[in-house]
């Protein structure tokens, strides 16, 4: 095999599609039993839509997704600015919201149509460089500590390790990333974990259905994303982790305290969860033949869906480089090292690790950094949105000097 993708989450599935599009022979391996039924990251950035368009995924996505045209930013109960996504370049200048499991279904179905193998229930437990290739060792899930349903103990046949040899590996194996550990790549943290509570709820959102709202004041950090005319998601950052699951009463309480201007009254809670999100990035995205992408490489606030969407950008770039590496046609200075520098620069900005984000006094840098994490963009789209918001934050394009790593 020319490339294998470890991890069949959204980033891993898209990585396989990008590699296939580049003509690279690819397979995916995932430890899960079946596709995850969860909502989690529910917004696709305009840049992601441009990437999906190149792979012909947009008709299927548009059928399931909901369009959001603008983002209002609120500070201390006042609307401080509005970013019109329609002013971004390209054929899809908006965010599309949809459940992460629906997105994964679209990606998995396309891979199945293309005949790309997605091997489930195999947990990658080892990664070795062998004679100029990478060898992964996977254990069937039952042998890695779980029991097959209905059996007292894993059958002997399930204990056989499965070896796969490939020229390259994209490791999109999520937050705990065994591949990152195998590579022994350290993480750079910018903050301790921040606690968030998420509520998906039904309400009459007719007046709110195409506009996201971001709270970026000293008093609160949070975001509302519409998922339809009757379904929405509020996420709030909390000062400490909740021991109890969220409730309708808690949502109402948080809305009264932090978003009293939000008129729709939540009628029913459909889904709620609490989670910690650190803010961190790997010291290196990979080396040689193994490269990390998505949550295996970075974590930031969930408000702007940057983890998953940056993951899509990363794997699309990696697939192109792998194809060139395999064909020996890589233009000078345009390989993995350039990828590494570009991603580090962007993540250091997104996480506020370098003082790339300056303030002209209207919004303190710490709050500005939270706002950056809550916007549905990165790269030049993020520059454009910050420019529109005019909150005193200086977009990268206006900075005098590039940051030296
Ligand atoms: C409770 C919760 C709420 C969230 N809410 C939001 C949100 O509101 N907004 C937001 O932007 N993001 C949110 N996220 C994060 C979001 O889900 C991720 O950013 C997104 O799933 C990243 O995709 P990924 O493909 O990089 O990783 P993942 O989706 O984590 O996929 C990794 C895959 O790798 C597989 N894997 C792991 N180890 C191995 C192994 N050893 N061998 C083989 N396979 C392996 C896993 O089974 C999994 O399928 C949330 C996450 C959680 C847990």
């Amino acid at each position: 095999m020319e490339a294998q993708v470890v991890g069949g989450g959204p980033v891993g599935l898209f990585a396989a599609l990008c590699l296939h599009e580049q003509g690279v022979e690819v397979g995916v391996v995932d430890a899960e039993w079946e596709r995850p039924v969860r909502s989690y990251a529910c917004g696709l950035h305009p840049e992601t839509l441009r990437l999906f368009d190149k792979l012909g995924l947009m008709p299927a996505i548009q059928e399931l997704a909901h369009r959001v045209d603008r983002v209002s930013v609120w500070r201390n109960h006042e609307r401080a600015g509005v970013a019109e996504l329609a002013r971004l370049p390209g054929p899809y200048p908006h965010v599309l919201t949809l459940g992460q499991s629906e997105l994964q279904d679209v990606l998995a179905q396309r891979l199945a149509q293309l005949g790309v193998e997605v091997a489930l229930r195999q947990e990658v437990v080892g990664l070795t460089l062998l004679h100029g290739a990478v060898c992964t060792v996977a254990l069937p899930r039952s042998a890695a500590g779980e029991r097959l349903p209905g059996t007292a103990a894993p059958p002997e046949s399930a204990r056989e390790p499965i070896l796969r040899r490939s020229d390259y590996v994209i490791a999109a194996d999520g937050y705990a990333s065994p591949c990152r550990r195998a590579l022994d790549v350290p993480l750079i943290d910018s903050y301790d974990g921040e606690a968030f509570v998420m509520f998906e709820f039904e309400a009459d959102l007719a007046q709110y259905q195409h506009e996201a709202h971001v709270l970026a004041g000293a008093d609160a950090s949070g975001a509302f994303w519409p998922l339809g005319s009757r379904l929405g998601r509020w996420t709030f950052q909390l000062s400490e982790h909740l021991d109890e699951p969220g409730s309708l009463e808690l949502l109402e309480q948080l809305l009264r305290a932090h978003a009293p201007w939000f008129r729709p009254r939540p009628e029913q809670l459909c889904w709620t969860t609490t989670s910690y999100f650190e803010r961190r990035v790997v010291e290196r995205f990979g080396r040689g033949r193994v490269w990390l992408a998505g949550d295996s490489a970075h974590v930031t606030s969930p408000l702007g869906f940057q983890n998953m969407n940056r993951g899509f950008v990363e794997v699309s770039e990696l697939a192109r480089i792998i194809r060139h590496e395999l064909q020996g046609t890589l233009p000078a200075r345009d390989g993995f090292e350039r990828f590494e520098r570009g991603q580090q620069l962007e993540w250091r900005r997104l996480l506020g690790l370098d003082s790339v984000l300056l303030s002209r006094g209207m919004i303190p840098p710490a709050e500005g950094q939270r706002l950056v994490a809550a916007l549905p963009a990165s790269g030049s789209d993020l520059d454009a949105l910050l420019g529109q918001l005019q909150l005193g934050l200086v977009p990268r394009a206006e900075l005098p000097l590039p940051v030296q790593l």
Side-chain angles (χ1 to χ4, degrees):
M1 207 184 324
E2 290 177 316
Q4 40 178 325
V5 176
V6 180
V11 173
L13 296 175
F14 187 61
L17 285 170
C18 292
L19 285 159
H20 183 274
E21 170 76 6
Q22 293 286 343
V24 175
E25 188 202 346
V26 60
V28 183
V29 57
D30 194 285
E32 291 275 349
W33 289 86
E34 53 195 18
R35 77 163 173 81
V37 183
R38 56 191 185 198
S39 186
Y40 296 0
C42 68
L44 301 177
H45 291 179
E47 186 172 17
T48 294
L49 303 182
R50 299 196 287 269
L51 295 175
F52 279 19
D53 189 36
K54 284 191 199 152
L55 269 60
L57 292 165
M58 285 310 289
I61 295 285
Q62 277 169 316
E63 224 168 84
L64 298 167
H66 175 79
R67 206 191 69 238
V68 181
D69 296 323
R70 67 186 63 81
V71 181
S72 281
V73 174
W74 295 78
R75 300 192 61 229
N76 310 320
H77 301 183
E78 304 260 319
R79 199 191 299 254
V82 180
E84 294 290 347
L85 299 169
R87 287 168 58 189
L88 294 177
Y92 303 99
H94 44 251
V95 166
L96 289 181
T97 56
L98 82 169
Q100 189 176 320
S101 40
E102 291 170 303
L103 167 65
Q104 285 185 219
D105 276 351
V106 170
L107 302 177
Q109 276 160 17
R110 179 53 61 92
L111 284 170
Q113 282 164 6
L114 297 170
V116 175
E117 189 199 0
V118 180
L120 295 177
R121 307 175 197 184
Q122 294 180 20
E123 183 171 1
V124 171
V125 292
L127 192 74
T128 348
L129 276 176
L130 208 65
H131 308 303
V134 199
C135 203
T136 58
V137 183
L139 288 182
R141 206 50 203 278
S142 56
E146 290 200 5
R147 289 183 173 180
L148 288 170
T151 63
E156 270 317 301
S157 60
R159 293 178 183 275
E160 293 294 317
I162 300 155
L163 304 185
R164 285 190 181 80
R165 193 175 178 279
S166 59
D167 294 296
Y168 291 94
V169 164
I170 292 184
D173 51 346
Y175 180 82
S177 185
C179 292
R180 184 184 65 235
R181 286 158 202 244
L183 278 181
D184 198 19
V185 174
L187 291 153
I188 311 167
D189 288 287
S190 75
Y191 292 95
D192 291 338
E194 293 171 337
F196 290 84
V197 58
M198 294 140 190
F199 306 91
E200 251 170 54
F201 61 95
E202 281 183 15
D204 177 3
L205 298 169
Q207 307 298 315
Y208 285 74
Q209 59 175 313
H210 296 299
E211 184 166 351
H213 296 272
V214 166
L215 310 181
D219 63 322
S221 168
F224 164 75
W225 281 92
L227 294 152
S229 61
R230 288 205 44 83
L231 188 65
R233 156 110 57 114
W234 261 109
T235 303
F236 289 94
Q237 189 182 336
L238 301 170
S239 51
E240 54 193 59
H241 190 67
L242 271 187
D243 290 330
E244 313 248 311
S247 63
L248 203 54
E249 293 69 41
L250 178 64
L251 172 57
E252 283 165 353
Q253 191 186 321
L254 288 166
L255 287 175
R256 275 196 300 278
H258 302 302
W261 43 265
F262 187 77
R263 296 269 168 252
R265 294 282 53 97
E267 294 159 16
Q268 193 183 330
L269 204 53
C270 308
W271 176 77
T272 177
T273 190
T274 55
S275 196
Y276 266 112
F277 288 84
E278 291 98 351
R279 300 179 76 184
R280 65 185 206 185
V281 64
V282 279
E283 213 169 86
R284 277 194 64 80
F285 273 70
R287 56 174 73 95
R289 295 176 177 273
V290 184
W291 292 85
L292 304 164
D295 279 21
S296 66
H298 43 70
V299 183
T300 184
S301 147
L303 297 178
F305 319 118
Q306 288 170 353
N307 288 313
M308 181 178 75
N309 285 273
R310 271 314 289 178
F312 294 142
V313 176
E314 289 151 13
V315 295
S316 135
E317 183 68 3
L318 283 172
R320 189 186 62 79
I321 297 170
I322 288 173
R323 190 252 295 171
H324 278 298
E325 288 278 358
L326 286 166
Q327 295 178 342
T329 52
L330 200 67
R333 300 165 52 80
D334 184 23
F336 289 122
E337 284 312 312
R338 182 170 167 183
F339 168 83
E340 176 71 45
R341 277 196 303 280
Q343 300 314 319
Q344 290 290 349
L345 205 57
E346 185 60 22
W347 272 102
R348 281 158 189 256
R349 170 170 81 139
L350 292 173
L351 295 172
L353 288 168
D354 290 317
S355 51
V356 182
L357 190 71
L358 303 180
S359 170
R360 288 189 177 131
M362 288 167 71
I363 181 166
E367 284 168 43
Q369 207 60 57
R370 278 194 190 164
L371 169 64
V372 164
L375 291 175
S378 61
S380 56
D381 283 358
L382 180 59
D383 290 335
L385 295 185
L386 287 172
Q388 276 190 47
L389 284 166
Q390 299 203 331
L391 293 173
L393 298 171
V394 184
R396 180 178 47 177
E398 288 181 36
L399 290 170
L401 285 172
V403 174
Q404 298 296 319
L405 292 179

